[in-house]
Amino acid sequence: MEVFFLGTGGGRFAIVTQRRRTGGIRILSEKANLHVDPGPGALVHSIEQRSIEQRLDPRKLTGVLITHVHPDHANDGNVMLEAMTGGAVKRQGFLVCARSVTRGNETVDPVVSKYHRKLPSMVAELKAGEKVSIGGFEIEAVKAVHYDPDTIGFKVRLPEGETLGYTSDTEYFEGVGEAYRSVDLLILCSMRPRGAPLRWHMSVDDAVKILEEARPRRAVLTHFGMKMLYDTSPQEEARYVEKVTGVPTQAAEDNMKIKVEKGRSLTEFFGGAEEG
Ligand SMILES: [Zn+2]
Ligand SMILES: [Zn+2]
């Protein structure tokens, strides 16, 4: 399994400044080509980076996963669905999303249009606790506590057997760590640094509590807001998290690629590599 970070910024200010990109994450394996949370830049950076990794071409997508309606997670959803279906001509691929993404709810409007909802060959709108199996993948929606009340995180089991968790935006609540227990890789949307909690969002203190319960093989912090980027550094926060939890933890960077294999993992930046 390989995970590409086409964006590592989160929140309104990261979007409007593009201090960090906001294109979301791509998961690649022999059988998988999934885009998770296509925020602003998902389409453009996928195309730009395909010269380095051809499979990032958005026309090669086999699935799109969207956790909630906020622009930093969903803005490019419609265009990624168009790309996945070869320019809206072939009914193929799947969309797995929170119900609000396609249906809206009492507080938010849908962000995938009725027209785009018809493009993929399969759409699954999941509530926390629901699971779907598609083409050898198992995708489970995990509860999140965020101000789109339908927000979910994902736990994905790849056809090859590796497991990955992605928390999306959530504050800490009892049971969130347990839901991601023992995954091979846990990606945490930790927008805020230590000592700077914000309702509905994850701080590094929350990330520590989640990791102590989840005990994944490896963790990555991403989705950084301005306080994380200016008041401290994601690297420093990741070092702290690793020290107190004992879970190998790193801070994501734009264009970072992680390979997760049985018993071994490797981090590469487009251009160089380091064992981790
Ligand atoms: Zn967000
Ligand atoms: Zn959000």
Side-chain angles (χ1 to χ4, degrees), residues 15 21 23 47 78 87 107 131-132 136 147 154 156 159 172 181-182 203 217 242 245:
I15 290 182
R21 293 176 177 182
I47 289 171
N78 287 324
T107 55
K131 257 187 215 177
V132 62
Y147 60 110
F154 286 118
V156 181
Y172 175 82
R181 187 148 190 94
S182 303
S203 71
R217 266 183 57 212
E242 179 168 310
T245 65

Side-chain angles (χ1 to χ4, degrees), residues 9-11 68 70 72-73 146 168-169 189 191 201 223:
H68 66 290
H70 292 152
D72 50 339
H73 299 258
H146 192 45
S168 190
D169 286 330
C189 290
M191 195 170 94
H201 295 84
H223 206 62

Side-chain angles (χ1 to χ4, degrees), residues 129-150:
E130 292 180 338
K131 257 187 215 177
V132 62
S133 295
I134 315 157
F137 298 94
E138 201 174 86
I139 301 170
E140 182 183 340
V142 176
K143 181 181 165 183
V145 176
H146 192 45
Y147 60 110
D148 166 356
D150 288 323

Side-chain angles (χ1 to χ4, degrees), residues 13-23 40-41 45 226 254:
F13 305 109
I15 290 182
V16 298
T17 59
Q18 288 292 297
R19 173 77 171 70
R20 287 284 184 110
R21 293 176 177 182
T22 50
H45 295 310
M226 296 309 242
D254 291 344

Side-chain angles (χ1 to χ4, degrees), residues 81 84-94 115-123:
L81 293 172
M84 183 174 74
T85 52
V89 294
K90 284 176 279 180
R91 203 150 180 262
Q92 61 189 16
F94 59 80
Y115 166 77
H116 292 93
R117 192 182 174 281
K118 292 195 182 116
L119 298 180
S121 59
M122 209 280 268
V123 176

Side-chain angles (χ1 to χ4, degrees), residues 68-113:
H68 66 290
V69 299
H70 292 152
D72 50 339
H73 299 258
N75 186 75
D76 281 12
N78 287 324
V79 289
M80 293 307 265
L81 293 172
E82 289 196 19
M84 183 174 74
T85 52
V89 294
K90 284 176 279 180
R91 203 150 180 262
Q92 61 189 16
F94 59 80
L95 167 66
V96 179
C97 61
R99 196 177 154 76
S100 53
V101 170
T102 42
R103 308 275 170 180
N105 58 34
E106 62 283 4
T107 55
V108 300
D109 290 317
V111 289
V112 167
S113 77

